[in-house]
Amino acid sequence: MIQPVRSLRRSATTMATAALNFVYPPACLFCGRDVESARPGFCETCLATLKPAISNECPRCGAPVGPYTDVTKGCAQCRRESYAFDLVIRLGIYDGEMRLACLRAKATSGSGIARALADVLVDQKIVELRDAKFDFVIPVPEHWSRRLLHPYYAAETVSRQIAQRLEIRWSRSILCKTRRTPKQATSPTPQRRQQQQGSFAVGNHKHVTGKTILLVDDILTTGSTATAAAQSLKKAGAKRVVVAVIAVSPLKQ
Ligand SMILES: [Zn+2]
Ligand SMILES: [Zn+2]
């Protein structure tokens, strides 16, 4: 698009948003209190509970670790795990208020909160996300039969928002889920691995070969799903696969 046209369109959008905010003052997407920000999101109080307190985390699995823990080969929770992805970038731990926020983001009407959580993740991890120089952003895909019943899918909304904020190409067609797998919340890890293995496929290897990919899901539990998805991408020639999630489950710690 020609630059002046783009900036005119941006100014028009800003003015329209300001007018709308005047008529309907924006409210926190989590507690409903009025907020000052022009961008839909959270109030200061909710933001403080959703943003992690300053803590160290394992770059391999996202688990919180002590300040002096050597994480060059992962932490105590993940050292014996084999993941196909290279790194995990996460906002928080799937517990307390963050768990409630993630559950609301998953609900049919959760796209606003899913986008706002993605914004907080980008704001918190902007350095890591920019430094990785991703070629594109993709969601961990769902099987088409699930999409038929539930067209809204939180991982897709989160991934699209991250791609928009980073101005990186987004695609949901590069990786697909070829087989439906059972809901896994209660399955033990080895069973999850087995269920997910070989359930993803890359359509055209040309899109993936030599690329650095940001693979996005809303929650990372055992890493089985992300590993199976990353395995497909690596088999198709991906150079590096980084997983970004809103929260990592404390179950895996
Ligand atoms: Zn709030
Ligand atoms: Zn770890």
Side-chain angles (χ1 to χ4, degrees):
M1 198 187 298
I2 306 162
Q3 209 59 37
V5 176
R6 192 184 283 177
S7 70
L8 263 176
R9 195 172 282 182
R10 210 172 283 155
S11 314
T13 311
T14 311
M15 280 164 70
T17 309
L20 199 67
N21 287 349
F22 183 73
V23 183
Y24 302 106
C28 170
L29 294 167
F30 198 52
C31 73
R33 281 192 208 115
D34 288 353
V35 287
E36 295 294 321
S37 164
R39 197 170 72 189
F42 305 110
C43 69
E44 290 297 321
T45 314
C46 291
L47 198 56
T49 60
L50 295 170
K51 272 197 314 199
I54 297 165
S55 71
N56 297 290
E57 60 196 70
C58 169
R60 195 167 173 258
C61 74
V65 291
Y68 305 110
T69 311
D70 177 10
V71 286
T72 43
K73 289 182 177 163
C75 65
Q77 281 76 32
C78 72
R79 226 162 267 150
R80 275 170 291 171
E81 299 285 344
S82 63
Y83 300 132
F85 46 84
D86 299 277
L87 202 71
V88 171
I89 296 177
R90 55 86 168 166
L91 173 61
I93 305 297
Y94 188 67
D95 202 10
E97 301 296 290
M98 176 55 93
R99 182 176 163 275
L100 290 178
C102 287
L103 288 172
R104 280 167 63 175
K106 264 187 186 302
T108 318
S109 57
S111 62
I113 202 162
R115 276 194 294 273
L117 287 168
D119 279 336
V120 183
L121 170 65
V122 172
D123 293 342
Q124 290 292 299
K125 303 289 169 139
I126 191 68
V127 176
E128 292 98 312
L129 290 166
R130 288 235 187 268
D131 283 357
K133 300 199 182 338
F134 297 111
D135 291 293
F136 51 82
V137 180
I138 60 173
V140 170
E142 273 203 320
H143 192 254
W144 64 268
S145 60
R146 271 200 213 280
R147 293 187 63 88
L148 216 59
L149 292 171
H150 308 285
Y152 168 68
Y153 178 41
E156 198 171 291
T157 303
V158 171
S159 64
R160 196 196 283 261
Q161 184 69 8
I162 293 173
Q164 262 175 22
R165 287 283 313 276
L166 298 175
E167 297 183 321
I168 296 171
R169 196 155 64 93
W170 177 83
S171 171
R172 70 170 183 202
S173 57
I174 283 171
L175 184 70
C176 67
K177 182 123 187 177
T178 52
R179 155 165 76 75
R180 206 172 154 144
T181 48
K183 291 250 178 214
Q184 302 183 12
T186 53
S187 307
T189 306
Q191 205 176 324
R192 281 176 174 236
R193 284 269 157 107
Q194 224 168 19
Q195 286 163 348
Q196 294 293 334
Q197 202 123 40
S199 66
F200 295 93
V202 172
N204 188 341
H205 288 205
K206 264 202 309 198
H207 295 310
V208 170
T209 308
K211 298 288 195 287
T212 298
I213 299 166
L214 184 64
L215 178 68
V216 179
D217 211 344
D218 49 351
I219 300 152
L220 187 80
T221 308
T222 61
S224 307
T225 307
T227 280
Q231 245 161 13
S232 278
L233 293 165
K234 289 273 176 89
K235 266 189 201 160
K239 187 170 76 180
R240 194 165 159 79
V241 178
V242 174
V243 170
V245 290
I246 298 301
V248 293
S249 169
L251 293 174
K252 62 190 274 297
Q253 291 155 34

